[in-house]
Structure formats: structure tokens, C-alpha cells
Amino acid sequence: MMIKAMSQAGLNLFIPMELLINSLNALSLSEKRQISQLLNEAIADAEEENWQRDEETKKEIQLVRDEYANGNYSEFSNIKEQLKQGAITRAERDLGLVEEWFNLEEAC
């Protein structure tokens, strides 16, 4: 497998995968971390580009923007209260699940 790489001067290079791996293995830990950071940034940029071109993602983003513009959102304080109420509502069910789980373990 050949890897296409662009040097800082803008040249396109084709590097065999095995040579690339051997070169990476020869780097110091610090140099490997620098490569990792560069790769993570390049991956994030590429993913963002894909998201910007993906029609379904565009629709989802627009839907969220529309909901926000229409006031259809929860503030953090409301979300915290909703989570608390949900936990209280599900507490009896969850306790039953825990009791069932421990009864199963005792039977084994």
C-alpha cells in the first residue's frame, strides 16, 4: 500500500506503508506525540469538511438551529431538574431491577 503525503514545500510524495511504519517506529516519543497531534488535527479538519458536505448532517444542524430560534430548547437549570425528576420517577423500577439482579446472583 502506498501513502500519498504532501511535504511542507507542497510536493506530493508516495511512500510505501511499510517504510512509513518503520520511519514512525524510529521516532522518539516526543516526535511521535507531535505526529499524533498533527494527525488528530488533520482528521478533525477532514471530518468537519465531510460534515459540512453531508446533506443529512446539514439538515440536522438546520433543524437544531430552527428549534433554537423558535425557543424550543431547555436551559441547563431545566435540564438538571428534568434529569432529577426522571431519576425519581424511575427509582422504584431501578430498585426492582437491582433486587432482581442480586437475587439471581444468590441463586447461582
Side-chain angles (χ1 to χ4, degrees), residues 12-106:
N12 286 326
L13 305 172
F14 290 93
I15 304 169
M17 180 65 97
E18 187 176 340
L19 179 60
L20 179 60
I21 291 170
N22 290 340
S23 298
L24 290 171
N25 286 334
L27 295 174
S28 69
L29 179 58
S30 174
E31 292 167 325
K32 288 176 182 174
R33 285 187 174 141
Q34 288 177 329
I35 296 286
S36 176
Q37 183 178 353
L38 291 170
L39 285 172
N40 287 335
E41 290 171 5
I43 290 168
D45 290 345
E47 286 176 340
E48 187 172 339
E49 268 184 45
N50 284 341
W51 295 333
Q52 291 172 354
R53 288 184 292 207
D54 181 64
E55 290 303 317
E56 189 167 327
T57 301
K58 284 182 183 178
K59 289 177 187 175
E60 289 177 15
I61 290 170
Q62 190 57 51
L63 178 66
V64 170
R65 286 179 176 158
D66 293 346
E67 288 175 352
Y68 181 79
N70 293 328
N72 188 11
Y73 62 91
S74 295
E75 293 180 7
F76 181 73
S77 59
N78 293 343
I79 292 171
K80 188 176 175 181
E81 184 59 32
Q82 289 171 358
L83 289 171
K84 179 181 174 183
Q85 290 304 317
I88 291 169
T89 301
R90 292 183 303 275
E92 188 174 322
R93 179 206 65 189
D94 294 348
L95 180 60
L97 290 171
V98 169
E99 288 172 347
E100 181 180 322
W101 176 262
F102 283 104
N103 286 338
L104 286 176
E105 277 191 9
E106 290 172 6

